[in-house]
Amino acid sequence: VAELAVKFAEKVPENMYSIAQLQGFLLCSKRDPRGAVGSIDEWVEEREKEQAEKDKRLAKRASERAKWLKMEKFRQKKDKQMEQEAEKEMLAEAEEAEKLEKEMENAADDEEKKEGAEEKEGEVKEEESKPVDAASDKDSEPEIVEPVTPLSSA
C-alpha cells in the first residue's frame, strides 16, 4: 500500500487539486487501490481539460467584457462630444439671436430718429409755407407816426 501511495503521489501534480477533489476520486476507488493508481492519469487529464475549457471560457468572457468596456467608453466619449457640439451650437444660436435682436433694436431706434427728423422737417416747412400774419409779425407792419406840429412861440 505504501508503494501504491508513492506512485499515486508522483502522478498527481502538487498544489493543483484540493483535498476534497482527491478524496472524491479515492472514494470511487476505495476497494481497488491499484485501479486508483492506474486511473489517476485519466482523472488528472480530464481535470486539466476541464480547467483548460474553464480558462478558455473565462478568457472569452474577459475579452468580451474588455470589448464591451472599450465600446462603452467610446460611446460615452461620442456622447460627450455630441453634447459639447450641441452646447456650442446652442451658444452660437443664442449669440446670433442676440445679435439680430440688437440689430433690430438699432434699426427701430434709427427709424424713430428718422421719423423724428422728418416730423421736425415737416414742421419747419409748415411754418415756412404759412401766410405771414400781419398782427403777429411786428417787422412787417409799418409803424404809424403822427406828424408833430411845432408849437409857435407866440
Side-chain angles (χ1 to χ4, degrees), residues 141-148:
E141 190 174 315
E143 197 173 307
I144 300 174
V145 179
E146 291 184 26
V148 179

Side-chain angles (χ1 to χ4, degrees), residues 11-135:
K11 293 183 176 193
V12 176
E14 285 187 39
N15 300 321
M16 189 81 166
Y17 303 105
S18 69
I19 293 174
Q21 287 174 313
L22 292 172
Q23 196 173 26
F25 169 76
L26 290 172
L27 282 174
C28 293
S29 312
K30 69 179 176 181
R31 300 209 190 275
D32 184 15
R34 284 183 176 73
V37 172
S39 64
I40 189 67
D41 290 330
E42 290 176 27
W43 184 85
V44 168
E45 192 175 305
E46 285 177 23
R47 294 304 155 293
E48 286 176 353
K49 283 182 183 178
E50 288 173 3
Q51 188 63 41
E53 288 174 8
K54 183 178 178 182
D55 291 345
K56 187 177 178 180
R57 285 191 311 270
L58 289 174
K60 184 177 178 181
R61 278 193 217 148
S63 173
E64 289 172 353
R65 175 83 175 145
K67 185 178 178 181
W68 181 86
L69 286 172
K70 186 177 179 181
M71 292 297 289
E72 183 65 16
K73 189 175 181 180
F74 177 77
R75 185 192 62 78
Q76 288 175 351
K77 186 178 177 181
K78 277 294 193 187
D79 287 349
K80 188 174 181 179
Q81 275 182 330
M82 289 174 65
E83 286 175 9
Q84 289 173 343
E85 288 173 7
E87 188 175 332
K88 285 179 184 178
E89 286 176 12
M90 287 173 38
L91 287 173
E93 288 174 3
E95 288 174 0
E96 184 67 26
E98 192 174 296
K99 184 179 176 183
L100 287 173
E101 189 176 310
K102 285 182 181 179
E103 286 177 5
M104 289 173 65
E105 286 175 6
N106 290 341
D109 289 347
D110 290 347
E111 186 67 30
E112 285 177 14
K113 288 177 185 177
K114 186 177 179 182
E115 287 175 4
E118 286 175 357
E119 281 180 23
K120 285 182 182 178
E121 193 175 297
E123 289 173 6
V124 169
K125 284 184 180 179
E126 226 177 80
E127 285 180 17
E128 289 176 359
S129 65
K130 280 185 184 177
V132 179
D133 185 12

